[in-house]
Amino acid sequence: ICAQRWLCLRIELLGVAIVFIATLLVVIFNGVFGLSAGLVALLIRWSSGLTVSLSFLVDNAAEAEGAVTAIERIKRMSEVPQEQNFDKKGSLVVADSWPAKGTLEFIDVRMRYRPG
């Protein structure tokens, strides 16, 4: 979440810079271009909408990357060689009668509460 907030802040700062530069260029070169007020407003609105579009683009790209990463992990885990079975004949011999009794025996055990 922290990285996402950091990225959103940077995108918003980029959007502010774009709107500022577009507005500054319109103000400085208004005599050269001779733009009408409606066209200037449209330019500023479109430049501010770029921030929202860029934010959606980055969010969707991050989600797509996460989905692809999950698929890659599944593929790699399916290629991992399978471990051998634990039950090997002769390696571990346990009597059929084990456990014969379900009892525990404590010898010379002392218990107390800790101080405090």
Side-chain angles (χ1 to χ4, degrees):
I1 291 177
C2 184
Q4 187 177 10
R5 287 183 183 171
W6 179 87
L7 185 61
C8 287
L9 177 67
R10 297 304 187 264
I11 290 173
E12 291 292 327
L13 288 175
L14 178 66
V16 167
I18 290 172
V19 170
F20 178 73
I21 291 171
T23 306
L24 190 64
L25 288 175
V26 166
V27 169
I28 291 173
F29 296 112
N30 192 24
V32 176
F33 295 134
L35 300 174
S36 66
L39 192 57
V40 170
L42 193 60
L43 174 68
I44 293 171
R45 174 63 186 103
W46 279 351
S47 62
S48 67
L50 179 69
T51 304
V52 175
S53 299
L54 187 60
S55 179
F56 281 133
L57 177 71
V58 169
D59 285 342
N60 288 335
E63 283 188 33
E65 182 183 3
V68 169
T69 302
I71 292 171
E72 288 175 352
R73 285 181 182 171
I74 291 172
K75 183 179 180 292
R76 286 194 180 154
M77 290 303 293
S78 68
E79 294 171 353
V80 172
Q82 189 174 5
E83 296 178 358
Q84 296 179 357
N85 290 336
F86 180 73
D87 187 23
K88 293 183 178 180
K89 300 295 181 187
S91 65
L92 181 63
V93 179
V94 178
D96 290 336
S97 63
W98 184 81
K101 299 188 287 186
T103 60
L104 295 174
E105 184 177 340
F106 292 97
I107 300 173
D108 198 24
V109 175
R110 296 179 186 170
M111 291 186 203
R112 67 180 178 97
Y113 289 105
R114 63 184 171 100

